């Protein structure tokens, strides 16, 4: 699956494409003003809360990517969740900024699989390895297929991971690592 920015001028809307780039599988759109589930100052009321979430559509299903603050501070920890319309959590990723010895925050998926998105070793083309948290066994990677593009593009290579979970993990990697 490929995650590609829809337009070079609009970085807030991305598409999910099949590996041949011929079929659009879905999309996700950033919220203009993202509102955390446990925010202190509410911009959106309870009935308009979805306006503060990332909207994701994949293979005919609608999803919401929401976040909440685990702690507040200069390097606060954030939890991202992939939820259905009725707010059932399907996947969960923690972004931990207070890790000792880490230059960048850690991206840890805790549900439905235990996985970690590593940091890229390349400057021109980014390649984020995804490993199983406990055993460090490689699960795949999220990488840029080419060095120079007009639209940001990520190739999602996570065999054995269901498509909504792989799409969600790549969206979080895009948010945190770029």
């Amino acid at each position: 699956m490929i995650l590609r920015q829809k337009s070079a001028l609009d970085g807030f809307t991305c598409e999910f494409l099949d590996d041949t780039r011929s079929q659009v599988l879905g999309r996700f759109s950033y919220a203009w003003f993202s509102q955390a589930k446990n925010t202190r100052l509410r911009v959106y009321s309870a009935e308009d809360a979805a306006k503060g979430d990332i909207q994701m559509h994949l293979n005919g299903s609608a999803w919401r990517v929401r976040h909440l603050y685990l702690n507040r501070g200069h390097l606060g920890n954030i939890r991202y969740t992939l939820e259905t319309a009725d707010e059932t959590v399907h996947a969960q990723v923690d972004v931990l900024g207070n890790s000792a010895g880490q230059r960048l925050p850690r991206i840890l998926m805790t549900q439905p699989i235990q996985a970690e998105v590593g940091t890229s070793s390349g400057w021109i083309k980014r390649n984020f390895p995804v490993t199983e948290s406990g055993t460090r066994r490689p699960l795949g990677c999220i990488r840029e297929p080419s060095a120079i593009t007009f639209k940001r593009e990520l190739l999602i290579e996570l065999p054995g991971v269901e498509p909504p979970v792989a799409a969600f993990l790549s969206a979080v990697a895009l948010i945190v690592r770029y």
Side-chain angles (χ1 to χ4, degrees):
M1 182 172 15
I2 297 169
L3 172 64
R4 182 177 65 191
Q5 191 176 340
K6 189 167 180 161
S7 164
L9 302 175
D10 179 12
F12 291 100
T13 305
C14 296
E15 298 175 316
F16 294 105
L17 306 168
D18 66 351
D19 291 336
T20 63
R21 294 178 174 80
S22 62
Q23 182 181 7
V24 176
L25 303 174
R27 63 176 171 75
F28 85 89
S29 303
Y30 287 99
W32 282 103
F33 186 84
S34 184
Q35 177 172 284
K37 289 197 274 188
N38 61 344
T39 189
R40 293 179 182 157
L41 176 64
R42 295 242 172 236
V43 174
Y44 301 110
S45 63
E47 55 271 356
D48 288 336
K51 291 180 181 175
D53 300 330
I54 294 172
Q55 304 297 317
M56 187 173 98
H57 300 271
L58 187 64
N59 296 328
S61 298
W63 303 89
R64 291 167 59 184
V65 176
R66 304 181 75 193
H67 72 283
L68 62 95
Y69 298 107
L70 298 176
N71 63 354
R72 300 191 195 284
H74 179 65
L75 297 173
N77 298 332
I78 301 172
R79 174 169 290 154
Y80 289 92
T81 55
L82 178 65
E83 300 180 7
T84 59
D86 64 352
E87 298 185 7
T88 302
V89 175
H90 187 71
Q92 179 174 294
V93 172
D94 291 340
V95 178
L96 307 174
N98 294 332
S99 302
Q102 287 282 119
R103 185 176 54 88
L104 295 172
R106 293 178 66 197
I107 302 173
L108 298 170
M109 177 169 270
T110 57
Q111 181 185 334
I113 60 172
Q114 304 286 319
E116 182 170 356
V117 178
T119 57
S120 178
S121 59
W123 281 79
I124 297 175
K125 289 187 347 180
R126 296 184 182 188
N127 181 14
F128 306 111
V130 180
T131 58
E132 193 173 338
S133 293
T135 63
R136 307 307 264 164
R137 181 178 60 90
L139 297 174
C141 69
I142 301 168
R143 64 179 179 87
E144 291 179 327
S146 59
I148 300 173
T149 60
F150 290 107
K151 300 176 189 178
R152 178 163 288 135
E153 190 172 274
L154 293 174
L155 185 57
I156 305 163
E157 297 173 330
L158 295 170
V161 178
E162 62 178 312
V165 174
F168 168 63
L169 189 58
S170 66
V172 172
L174 181 66
I175 293 166
V176 176
R177 293 289 190 239
Y178 283 92

